Amino acid sequence: MKRRVLLSEAFASSVGNHGDAWRELQRKIENGIDINGYLSKGIRDWTLRDMLLDQCKIYHFHLRKDADGGIGREIVFAIVDEQNFFAVCLGDHHTMYDRNDLVTLAETSWPGRLFKLKDAGPSNAVIDRAMFKEFAHRQVTAGINLIEPAVLTDAQGNVRSLHNPQGSAIVGVDLSQSVHVKVPLNAYLDYCNELRSIETIVSGLHRRGWSLSLRFSADSGRRAYVAWAEPLGGSKTDPTFILRYRDKGKARFPLAAKYL
């Protein structure tokens, strides 16, 4: 989707020698060109957690990429919604553990637009940078919910804390008897909504007298689910129908549109 790019003062002043690379990435953002390739290569493993994203809604995009994903030391930290790309700062892999500083910078740059905040309490001091880094790297803790994931000083100078959940609470999901994963709650809810959408379509076909089973696969090239009907007594090689991820710009299947 095409998005307006908004820069914090810290980001604008730190681009420096990386202006050409940033302008190319900005051009793609503003023209709605897919920028998933600038994300870390680890995104291919969907069981890995990104605590900065899960807890604080802050993405990190590499400034450069190759055929396999983001490369290089320079990283763009940003918050993204459907209309805007808020470029918070340009940093490196060490910056992603400074989540208090990143949240403070984002909040003071765009007061009241990005986070749900509450008054800070004494417990906020418990989760410092070192502990956050340890949580992020240990598989056993990477999927935990931090009740107060970040402390910040707002635009008025008040000490506040990031309210959780605000779109990134974690939930456990049993894929089988032996496989248990932790995923963002909004991703799981999208999955449930999408599954219900597909089941509704299949039920409608059955009500029309289609006595068949349907086999689905995801076609990333066409950005669609492809369905095959498998009637009794024979097989069908051509797709029966195609379910688009998006229809006239509107996401019909949000899980596929956002996570596949």
Side-chain angles (χ1 to χ4, degrees), residues 11 39-40 49-61 75-81 85-92 95-107 110 114-115 132 149-152 162 166-168 186:
F11 186 95
L39 294 168
S40 297
R49 299 263 45 86
D50 179 344
M51 284 197 72
L52 184 63
L53 175 61
D54 288 346
Q55 302 292 346
C56 304
K57 301 196 302 183
I58 299 176
Y59 288 86
H60 64 280
F61 297 88
I75 293 177
V76 176
F77 292 87
I79 296 176
V80 183
D81 63 23
F85 184 100
F86 298 91
V88 179
C89 77
L90 183 67
D92 57 25
T95 310
M96 69 179 61
Y97 308 119
D98 298 323
R99 55 115 172 63
N100 283 18
D101 294 340
L102 288 170
V103 171
T104 296
L105 178 56
E107 173 62 21
W110 299 283
L114 304 178
F115 304 114
F132 184 80
V151 183
L152 63 127
L162 196 63
Q166 58 170 41
S168 53
N186 59 350

Side-chain angles (χ1 to χ4, degrees), residues 103-104 107-108 110-120 150-156 158-164 166:
V103 171
T104 296
E107 173 62 21
T108 53
W110 299 283
R113 294 187 63 178
L114 304 178
F115 304 114
K116 295 178 181 178
L117 304 177
K118 61 182 180 180
D119 293 335
V151 183
L152 63 127
T153 303
D154 65 16
Q156 289 74 40
N158 301 311
V159 178
R160 310 290 299 279
S161 67
L162 196 63
H163 180 66
N164 189 31
Q166 58 170 41

Side-chain angles (χ1 to χ4, degrees), residues 40-233:
S40 297
K41 294 180 175 68
I43 196 173
R44 297 178 184 275
D45 184 349
W46 67 277
T47 63
L48 294 179
R49 299 263 45 86
D50 179 344
M51 284 197 72
L52 184 63
L53 175 61
D54 288 346
Q55 302 292 346
C56 304
K57 301 196 302 183
I58 299 176
Y59 288 86
H60 64 280
F61 297 88
H62 288 259
L63 203 54
R64 298 171 179 83
K65 69 179 183 70
D66 60 16
D68 297 321
I71 59 173
R73 179 179 179 181
E74 298 79 18
I75 293 177
V76 176
F77 292 87
I79 296 176
V80 183
D81 63 23
E82 290 192 354
Q83 290 82 35
N84 304 294
F85 184 100
F86 298 91
V88 179
C89 77
L90 183 67
D92 57 25
H93 280 100
H94 297 289
T95 310
M96 69 179 61
Y97 308 119
D98 298 323
R99 55 115 172 63
N100 283 18
D101 294 340
L102 288 170
V103 171
T104 296
L105 178 56
E107 173 62 21
T108 53
S109 299
W110 299 283
R113 294 187 63 178
L114 304 178
F115 304 114
K116 295 178 181 178
L117 304 177
K118 61 182 180 180
D119 293 335
S123 63
N124 292 117
V126 175
I127 305 173
D128 58 14
R129 184 185 190 277
M131 186 176 294
F132 184 80
K133 181 177 180 179
E134 182 179 3
F135 284 168
H137 280 281
R138 293 179 60 195
Q139 188 63 28
V140 68
T141 58
I144 69 171
N145 283 294
L146 301 182
I147 302 303
E148 295 171 335
V151 183
L152 63 127
T153 303
D154 65 16
Q156 289 74 40
N158 301 311
V159 178
R160 310 290 299 279
S161 67
L162 196 63
H163 180 66
N164 189 31
Q166 58 170 41
S168 53
I170 306 300
V171 62
V173 179
D174 290 314
L175 299 181
S176 66
Q177 291 183 345
S178 59
V179 179
H180 180 82
V181 297
K182 294 179 179 179
V183 299
L185 178 61
N186 59 350
Y188 178 68
L189 294 177
D190 277 347
Y191 165 76
C192 293
N193 290 333
E194 184 160 314
L195 186 61
R196 281 194 293 268
S197 298
I198 293 174
E199 289 174 342
T200 299
I201 293 172
V202 173
S203 298
L205 294 174
H206 287 168
R207 286 195 300 270
R208 297 178 189 178
W210 287 34
S211 298
L212 46 80
S213 61
L214 294 176
R215 176 168 52 90
F216 285 89
S217 69
D219 186 330
S220 59
R222 285 190 281 187
R223 296 192 60 77
Y225 285 128
V226 180
W228 285 266
E230 299 175 340
L232 296 176

